[in-house]
Amino acid sequence: MKKYLTLENGDQFVGTAVGDLSKEIKGELVFTTSMVGYQETLTDPSYTNQIITFTYPLIGNYGISLHANQSPAVAASAVVMQEIATTVFHYQSVMTLDEFLKKSEVPGIAGIDTRQLTKIIRKHGTMKASLTNQPLAQSSFAKSKSVDMVVKSATFTTPQDQHPDHVVLVDFGVKTNIVESLKNFGANVTVVTPEASFDSIAALHPDGILLSNGPGDPEDWADFLPVIRELQSHYPLFGICLGHQLLALANGARTYKMVFGHRGINHPVKNLLTNEVVITSQNHGYAVDIDSVTDTPLEVTAIEINDKTCEGLRYPGRPVFSVQYHPEAAPGPHEATRLFNQFIDLMHTNGGVKHA
């Protein structure tokens, strides 16, 4: 069965339908350079309502595991691949990628030139696209829906009674492995929605605050910025990805939409304080305007080596910092996981800073 990928600029690719064969969708077309970690990528809430193009030519060769999901369901709206593996080779695999997409009711297209598609996105930028069962003569891209923000409907706690440290995580679309990483470094975690007030968070008696990753434009969360300003005055605070951008906005910096974003697991980041370079996992379409940080109380602590974008911030004199990349990986390298330990250490050394 044929499938048609039509881009906002008029380009069209014809391939073979995979996953949910009948479903047709519109979304924001992006690409990731990750060679592995397709299951974690598909279930990452930061990809909500996006059509993911995998630049690596063969996807799905080790199947699907029961333990790799980064959220309860697939977040991406569709998948684009050059080739999808039909035979899998891994002892933990319980189904093929195609079976996983069908079960999740997610459509996909295979058998197209993803190299050419990626070159188009790099040249023209991230754009809207449609995945259909028939060729489109004309597409109403202007009416297509923007990325929805992910908001949990309830607060939940992952207790570990043997660990005294308590982190309140504000969930803008958190990945499972962020919660697991905090637990692995010895913290009890309470997850709250961005609808929470400062007083409701303070009533939970946290030792530290984590602002999570999530999809969409950070400026859409303007209502929560006053809460961040209060939280950073009372508790150690760590921001990841979207949380990094929100910390910047809360302190007067600006953000902007990137041409095609950073999505992959091999982005080199230089720590400006130590001159150390780490390879990082990234997934974001917005960034902090590095020049705008100058007029804020924040300090830039890291940059992406390739394009010199802002990758880290701290608030001198306060136990507050953030990174644009994903220290929890899933997928990706684990070189930056020690940032969770750094966050825990800040909670220990700054326990008296909270006034809740």
Side-chain angles (χ1 to χ4, degrees), residues 213-272:
N213 66 294
D217 187 342
E219 293 186 0
D220 290 340
W221 296 105
D223 289 347
F224 194 74
L225 299 183
V227 180
I228 294 176
R229 285 191 284 270
E230 285 196 82
L231 290 171
Q232 71 181 13
S233 298
H234 291 77
Y235 304 99
L237 185 146
F238 180 21
I240 294 175
C241 198
L242 179 66
H244 160 80
Q245 298 161 10
L246 294 177
L247 178 66
L249 289 175
N251 286 280
R254 297 185 298 274
T255 57
Y256 63 95
K257 187 167 186 176
M258 307 172 77
V259 177
F260 51 82
H262 291 168
R263 296 177 179 91
I265 58 176
N266 61 346
H267 287 265
V269 170
K270 180 179 181 180
N271 186 317
L272 299 178

Side-chain angles (χ1 to χ4, degrees), residues 19-20 23 25 74 76-77 99-107:
D20 190 321
K23 196 169 187 178
I25 59 92
V74 173
S77 59
E99 291 169 338
F100 180 61
L101 294 173
K102 283 181 168 63
K103 181 179 179 181
S104 304
E105 299 181 346
V106 174

